[in-house]
């Protein structure tokens, strides 16, 4: 938006992000189908902004196959998984891991696939930093307070070994 080196003076760059082409489009390029899809998107734009299509000098259509092959996005999915009800909230990225922790102690996850999503907003990174800080505080507390005192505080009997 602020980098005027991307287009000649008086010209602009526009990015149109759309989704939901068939999932098998990640397996092979499907260039002709994607170009036809882009034509339909431009036709829709033309309906709300007459003359828009004539103003387009160049276009680049990036489909799931290219996103998978060039950018390493499995299935060409920028969200690293579907944003469906079965993969949201407590089940994102998988059931039991919505708190950003992984089974490997000290390894956290902060990508688009984590709870809350985030895309390129930076929210997953912010959330994981908050989780790491909370875990470190809890770990320091466990080291400072003897186990018997913790058991007494919670009303549980201390187990001597």
């Amino acid at each position: 938006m602020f980098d005027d080196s991307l287009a000649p003076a008086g010209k602009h760059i526009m990015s149109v992000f759309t989704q939901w082409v068939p999932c098998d489009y990640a397996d092979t390029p499907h260039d002709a189908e994607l170009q036809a899809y882009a034509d339909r998107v431009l036709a829709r734009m033309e309906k709300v902004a007459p003359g828009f299509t004539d103003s387009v000098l160049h276009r680049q259509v990036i489909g799931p196959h290219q996103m998978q092959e060039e950018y390493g996005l499995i299935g060409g999915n920028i969200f690293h998984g579907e944003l469906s009800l079965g993969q949201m909230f407590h089940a994102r990225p998988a059931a039991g891991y919505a708190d950003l922790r992984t089974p490997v102690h000290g390894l956290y996850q902060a990508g688009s696939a984590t709870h809350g999503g985030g895309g390129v907003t930076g929210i997953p990174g912010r959330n994981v930093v908050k989780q790491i800080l909370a875990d470190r505080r809890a770990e320091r507390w466990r080291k400072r307070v003897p186990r018997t005192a913790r058991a007494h505080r919670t009303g549980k009997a201390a187990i001597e070994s």
Side-chain angles (χ1 to χ4, degrees), residues 18-100:
T18 64
Q19 294 185 162
W20 314 124
V21 295
C23 62
D24 65 349
Y25 276 30
D27 299 335
T28 55
H30 292 276
D31 291 330
E33 292 92 337
L34 288 169
Q35 292 300 329
Y37 176 72
D39 290 340
R40 291 191 304 274
V41 170
L42 288 178
R44 285 284 181 121
M45 299 284 290
E46 185 70 27
K47 285 185 178 185
V48 296
F52 176 81
T53 304
D54 292 336
S55 72
V56 176
L57 303 178
H58 307 285
R59 76 178 186 195
Q60 177 184 31
V61 180
I62 300 173
H65 181 73
Q66 184 178 0
M67 290 167 58
Q68 178 171 273
E69 296 301 312
E70 291 187 29
Y71 308 121
L73 298 172
I74 304 300
N77 192 320
I78 65 165
F79 298 112
H80 305 194
E82 293 301 320
L83 291 178
S84 61
L85 191 56
Q87 292 187 10
M88 300 221 17
F89 308 113
H90 70 283
R92 189 149 185 89
Y97 297 102
D99 64 358
L100 308 171

